[in-house]
Amino acid sequence: KENEKKAKENEKDKEKQAQLELEIAESLKKGNPKLNPHYQPPELSIAQCDSIWFDTINLFNSYNFYEISEKLLNYVNEESKSAPDFRITQAKIFLFRKDYDKVIEECDQVLQNSPMSYLAHLLKGQAYYYMKNYTDAESSYIRAIRFKPQEIPFDLEMLTKLGLLYIHTESWYNAKVIFQQILRDSVEHSFAWRYLGFVLTKLGEYDQAEKALTQANLLDVENPTIWAYLTLFCLHTKRRNQAIECLNELIKVNFRDIELLREIASLFMQIGEYELTANIYMKIKSFIPDDADSYLKIADIYFNHIESKKKEAIEILKEGKERVFEDQGKEDIEETINEYIGKEDMKITMGKIHTGEDDLNLSESQIKGGELFDEEGEEHKEFEKSEEQKEEENNMSGKKEAIDNVSK
């Protein structure tokens, strides 16, 4: 009885399967013109056709094939050319072409009817950012974040540019919030750790800054900007020797960010590393041969802080006078040359006044009997080397390597 029952169930299943296959065959026959010559495909509405075109255009846009997208827009129905989708697509193409005024124009047209359009505010912010209109860029980005649909993830490019905008305007706390948001989405973004570490250094949150910069360095050990930020961090936290080591790594990768090099040089100057500072400015000068500020900074260090290089200070300024094109820069260099020459002339004159015949006629016995020499004819040692001086000498090898690297 059990077997008979199973046999009947199997027969029913086979009948159902056969019926299903018959229905599928009939369905295919109706929808296939080769099987059914009377087949008529359903007509698509204008809206459906345009939807297909926009989907195709968005696909090409995702691969940055904007030239193809622009040609496909010609196939969109005239009635749809005033629709938000069409204008947004046009704005993306104009952004790719760097025609930023037209991007803003198209986005404004969308925002007249859809003031909460996420994409319109986003694209408008991008255009303002590239135009270096950071105030309006920030405003547009903030609106884009406010009107972002819940199901759409944050646009990484937008957040990155907003963070960089805050760094540019020195809005350190806002920059911190933005880069923390990027890292909430993914902790694998080395650039976000890097910028976060830099911002936290500026805010004086050194413990967190060190963790962020260490993480950035682990993710991208050869990135020169990380070494620049680590150099700044060590200088801010009074880690002199580590700063020199980081600078060595920075120079190895041929770092070319002029603003960061200037900031590093300024901090080394504050701790009395004059020769190292001068060599950093020499590096900047090699990148920008007509930069008046570099010549003035090098000359100032040579003339006022390194006695053995006073004469070189004037030579550096003369070189700058020939290479600098800006009128104000030339005037500043000329004025500094005259100032230094005047000081040197004054020094020579004062030396002649204070040096008389009596001072020059000291006998050898008087010199040896005086304070200049001891009884055995050897010079007095006015002081013993302190522990700090001994430590400084031990660290000179690292400093010398840094100076040599910057010079190279």
Side-chain angles (χ1 to χ4, degrees):
K1 287 182 180 179
E2 188 114 352
N3 289 337
E4 286 176 3
K5 186 177 179 182
K6 285 182 179 179
K8 287 180 181 179
E9 287 177 355
N10 288 334
E11 285 178 10
K12 287 181 180 179
D13 288 340
K14 286 180 181 179
E15 288 176 3
K16 286 181 180 179
Q17 184 67 25
Q19 182 64 29
L20 181 61
E21 289 175 358
L22 182 64
E23 289 176 3
I24 291 172
E26 288 295 323
S27 176
L28 289 172
K29 187 177 179 181
K30 290 178 182 178
N32 191 330
K34 289 183 179 179
L35 299 175
N36 183 5
H38 303 293
Y39 170 75
Q40 292 291 332
E43 291 186 6
L44 296 175
S45 66
I46 292 173
Q48 288 173 321
C49 289
D50 287 343
S51 176
I52 292 171
W53 283 121
F54 283 126
D55 286 343
T56 309
I57 289 166
N58 288 332
L59 176 63
F60 281 113
N61 284 347
S62 66
Y63 291 98
N64 294 327
F65 294 151
Y66 290 101
E67 292 177 0
I68 299 175
S69 298
E70 188 172 11
K71 291 178 181 178
L72 293 178
L73 281 176
N74 295 325
Y75 294 95
V76 174
N77 192 278
E78 287 295 325
E79 295 177 8
S80 298
K81 289 187 177 180
S82 59
D85 286 346
F86 184 88
R87 292 194 179 279
I88 290 293
T89 305
Q90 281 275 54
K92 289 178 180 178
I93 292 167
F94 287 136
L95 188 66
F96 175 74
R97 284 182 179 178
K98 301 181 180 179
D99 193 345
Y100 304 125
D101 289 328
K102 287 190 176 179
V103 175
I104 295 168
E105 183 181 328
E106 291 292 337
C107 290
D108 284 339
Q109 289 290 335
V110 173
L111 292 170
Q112 283 183 5
N113 298 319
S114 305
M116 297 172 67
S117 171
Y118 162 69
L119 285 175
H121 286 299
L122 171 59
L123 292 169
K124 195 174 176 182
Q126 302 282 51
Y128 279 131
Y129 181 88
Y130 288 120
M131 294 168 75
K132 296 185 178 180
N133 182 347
Y134 297 126
T135 302
D136 288 334
E138 179 191 8
S139 178
S140 294
Y141 282 149
I142 294 299
R143 288 192 180 95
I145 291 171
R146 185 182 304 158
F147 299 135
K148 180 187 77 67
Q150 196 69 31
E151 66 275 8
I152 296 178
F154 279 105
D155 185 277
L156 180 61
E157 185 183 3
M158 176 190 71
L159 289 181
T160 304
K161 283 184 168 56
L162 183 57
L164 292 174
L165 185 154
Y166 284 136
I167 288 176
H168 180 81
T169 56
E170 298 186 4
S171 301
W172 306 121
Y173 180 78
N174 290 339
K176 170 186 169 182
V177 171
I178 294 299
F179 289 115
Q180 284 177 334
Q181 177 59 51
I182 292 173
L183 290 168
R184 283 193 197 98
D185 295 337
S186 174
V187 294
E188 297 300 317
H189 293 305
S190 169
F191 73 91
W193 285 113
R194 179 172 76 238
Y195 290 128
L196 180 62
F198 174 68
V199 168
L200 290 169
T201 300
K202 291 292 186 179
L203 289 169
E205 299 178 24
Y206 297 127
D207 290 340
Q208 295 302 315
E210 185 170 15
K211 290 177 183 177
L213 290 171
T214 301
Q215 185 66 26
N217 199 24
L218 289 171
L219 291 170
D220 192 3
V221 70
E222 294 184 358
N223 188 295
T225 307
I226 296 173
W227 288 110
Y229 288 164
L230 282 167
T231 306
L232 289 172
F233 170 79
C234 291
L235 288 167
H236 278 289
T237 53
K238 313 299 182 187
R239 303 180 190 181
R240 183 180 193 144
N241 297 328
Q242 285 180 288
I244 292 172
E245 289 174 12
C246 291
L247 181 64
N248 276 325
E249 296 298 325
L250 179 63
I251 299 304
K252 287 178 187 176
V253 291
N254 197 28
F255 187 64
R256 300 179 72 92
D257 188 317
I258 303 302
E259 292 305 313
L260 276 177
L261 284 174
R262 288 188 199 280
E263 187 173 353
I264 290 169
S266 174
L267 290 172
F268 271 119
M269 184 72 177
Q270 290 175 23
I271 62 173
E273 291 288 351
Y274 301 124
E275 191 169 352
L276 192 55
T277 304
N279 280 286
I280 294 172
Y281 281 117
M282 280 288 195
K283 193 80 173 174
I284 295 170
K285 180 173 76 72
S286 70
F287 296 144
I288 314 175
D290 61 340
D291 178 44
D293 183 67
S294 296
Y295 292 100
L296 291 167
K297 287 286 196 310
I298 296 165
D300 173 65
I301 294 167
Y302 283 178
F303 193 85
N304 295 310
H305 300 285
I306 305 176
E307 187 68 27
S308 62
K309 293 195 174 185
K310 277 197 171 185
K311 291 182 179 178
E312 291 183 42
I314 295 175
E315 294 303 316
I316 285 286
L317 290 171
K318 287 179 179 178
E319 180 191 342
K321 188 179 175 183
E322 293 177 2
R323 293 193 175 187
V324 172
F325 302 111
E326 187 188 7
D327 291 337
Q328 185 60 51
K330 277 183 175 292
E331 288 177 15
D332 292 342
I333 289 173
E334 181 67 37
E335 184 180 328
T336 307
I337 290 173
N338 293 333
E339 179 189 341
Y340 288 173
I341 291 174
K343 285 182 178 180
E344 283 296 287
D345 290 344
M346 179 64 72
K347 184 178 178 181
I348 293 169
T349 303
M350 294 302 293
K352 288 179 179 178
I353 292 171
H354 289 292
T355 305
E357 288 294 325
D358 294 338
D359 296 329
L360 299 174
N361 290 331
L362 291 173
S363 66
E364 186 177 347
S365 61
Q366 286 175 313
I367 292 172
K368 287 188 176 181
E371 297 179 353
L372 300 179
F373 289 82
D374 60 18
E375 292 178 356
E376 296 178 2
E378 294 181 355
E379 293 181 16
H380 283 299
K381 296 179 182 178
E382 294 181 337
F383 58 91
E384 294 293 328
K385 292 180 181 178
S386 66
E387 289 299 319
E388 290 181 359
Q389 288 172 316
K390 291 177 182 177
E391 184 181 350
E392 182 66 24
E393 286 183 359
N394 291 334
N395 295 329
M396 282 301 290
S397 59
K399 188 193 302 184
K400 186 177 184 300
E401 183 185 354
I403 293 169
D404 292 342
N405 284 333
V406 176
S407 298
K408 289 175 185 177

